[in-house]
């Protein structure tokens, strides 16, 4: 498509495929402070659809300027789509000693919510087994926080042998487990879900946290205490936040949380769940399905702006710590209010 045919209703993919369009998008990205990966998985979205999902990074005016820059069609910029307002300012306050003497396994600790959770627990005195499938990310974490008590446990939580190694890294004592690792899907409805996608999403989001929890719970039962926080999603609360596979996996995370809270409550264990709203991390979602885009994008446009991962760590560590003493089987939406929309 020639640059002059590009418009606010052209897809990111069309823009990137055109040299002038791609250069103009690159300038817009660097000017907005958004990361170069901002368009990963978004190639099927139009610029108009991007505005409400960008948490204020891209405004209708930006899009109009962009279209003008490439001599494209300066029509149809959706001024009716208002970007969600940025979340209010907030600064993490470390609660010194809250995890002193405790050993906590955190999965997905190499990035995003898991990383923020691992760092917060360690800053509050905990000894953290930081588990992730990415060795490189774990190395970076340890290098950046050499002063903290972090033990890297590289492995795939859906692999039995890796789960054994992650548990062994704790050295016989496990007070807490944060099951954070997970992946997104491609927003497909049921009839478009491939076997490969279904198996991958369920294996990582569900089977992985099941296998690791199964290996950890006997330690907690022996000790007569322990706290587990599972990370679900808005997609655990409704059918309109993601595709079928991710939605099913996160609903099942809630089921595991409730069954385990019921079963092990009398033995001194607490098992709770946090359902995050949109959070700025490295998680990759794509919009591969036309039906998925048509149904899900208008719902996502109503959501509060994505927040930094430390806000999720605040909710997860609250439930994980003794501050959650009276909570068992809770599903806590941590989403700036998205769950009431
Ligand atoms: N970011 C969001 O907007 C959002 C919203 C709702 C729920 N969540 C949930 O939060 C959790 C964390 O996601 P995030 O956004 O921080 O993503 P992220 O991609 O930034 O981090 C996830 C980490 O998990 C690791 N991981 C993936 N598969 C693994 C495996 N098999 N074994 C071990 N580690 C593995 C990855 O290497 C990565 O470091 C996920 O369960 C996700 O579903 C995220």
């Amino acid at each position: 498509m020639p640059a002059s045919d590009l418009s606010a209703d052209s897809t990111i993919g069309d823009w990137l495929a055109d040299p002038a369009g791609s250069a103009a998008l690159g300038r817009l990205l660097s000017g907005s402070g958004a990361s170069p990966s901002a368009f990963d998985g978004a190639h099927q979205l139009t610029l108009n659809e991007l505005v409400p999902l960008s948490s204020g990074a891209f405004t209708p005016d930006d899009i109009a300027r962009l279209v003008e820059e490439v001599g494209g069609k300066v029509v149809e910029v959706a001024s009716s789509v208002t970007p969600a307002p940025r979340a209010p300012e907030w600064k993490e306050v470390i609660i010194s000693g809250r995890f002193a003497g405790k050993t906590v396994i955190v999965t997905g600790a190499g990035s995003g919510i898991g990383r923020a959770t691992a760092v917060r627990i360690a800053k509050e005195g905990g000894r953290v087994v930081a588990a992730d499938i990415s060795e490189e990310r774990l190395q970076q974490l340890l290098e950046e926080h050499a002063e903290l008590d972090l033990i890297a446990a590289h492995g795939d939580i859906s692999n039995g042998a890796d789960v054994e190694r992650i548990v062994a890294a704790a050295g016989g004592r496990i007070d807490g487990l944060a099951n954070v690792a997970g992946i997104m899907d491609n927003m497909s409805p049921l009839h478009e879900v491939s076997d490969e996608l279904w198996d991958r999403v369920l294996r990582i989001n569900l089977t992985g946290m099941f296998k690791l929890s199964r290996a950890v719970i006997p330690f907690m039962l022996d000790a007569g205490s322990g706290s587990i926080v599972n990370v679900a999603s808005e997609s655990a609360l409704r059918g309109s936040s993601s595709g079928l596979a991710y939605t099913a996996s996160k609903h099942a995370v809630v089921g595991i949380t409730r069954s385990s809270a019921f079963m092990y409550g009398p033995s001194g264990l607490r098992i709770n769940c946090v359902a995050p709203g949109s959070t700025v991390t490295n998680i990759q979602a794509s919009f591969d399905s036309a039906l998925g885009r048509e149904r899900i994008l208008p719902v996502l446009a109503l959501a509060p702006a994505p927040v930094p991962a430390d806000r999720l760590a605040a909710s997860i560590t609250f439930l994980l710590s003794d501050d959650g003493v009276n909570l068992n089987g809770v599903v806590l939406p941590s989403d700036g209010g998205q769950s009431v929309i």
Side-chain angles (χ1 to χ4, degrees), residues 5 51 53 65 77 81 83 109-111 158 171 176 181 192 214-215 229 235-236 247 256 326 334:
D5 282 347
V51 171
L53 301 177
R65 266 196 303 277
V77 178
V81 282
S111 173
S158 68
E192 294 179 38
R214 185 176 60 182
V229 175
S235 298
T247 302
I256 286 188
N326 204 31
S334 178

Side-chain angles (χ1 to χ4, degrees), residues 107-115 131-134 137 153 155-159 166 179-184 203-205 208 231-235 246 249-250 274-284 306-307 309 312:
T107 71
S111 173
I113 298 170
R115 191 184 211 271
D132 203 290
I133 200 165
S134 165
R137 285 178 172 176
D156 178 347
I157 51 164
S158 68
N159 175 295
I166 292 167
N179 280 311
V180 188
I183 56 167
M184 270 294 290
R203 179 173 58 78
I204 296 172
N205 290 2
V231 171
S233 164
E234 281 295 309
S235 298
Y246 187 80
S249 73
K250 293 301 187 178
V274 167
S278 193
T279 312
V280 183
T281 68
N282 289 309
I283 206 160
Q284 302 282 324
V307 296
L312 273 300

Side-chain angles (χ1 to χ4, degrees), residues 12 15-16 20-30 39 47 66:
I12 305 278
W15 277 79
L16 290 173
S22 173
L25 270 187
R27 284 193 291 277
L28 177 68
L29 260 192
S30 58
F39 295 141
L47 294 190
L66 191 72

Side-chain angles (χ1 to χ4, degrees), residues 6 28 83 104 128 133 137 164 188 192 208 212 238 249 263 272 282 294 315 335:
L6 291 171
L28 177 68
V104 182
V128 175
I133 200 165
R137 285 178 172 176
E164 275 179 31
S188 296
E192 294 179 38
L212 185 55
R238 53 168 61 84
S249 73
M263 292 288 188
N272 293 293
N282 289 309
E294 181 194 322
S315 301
D335 60 6

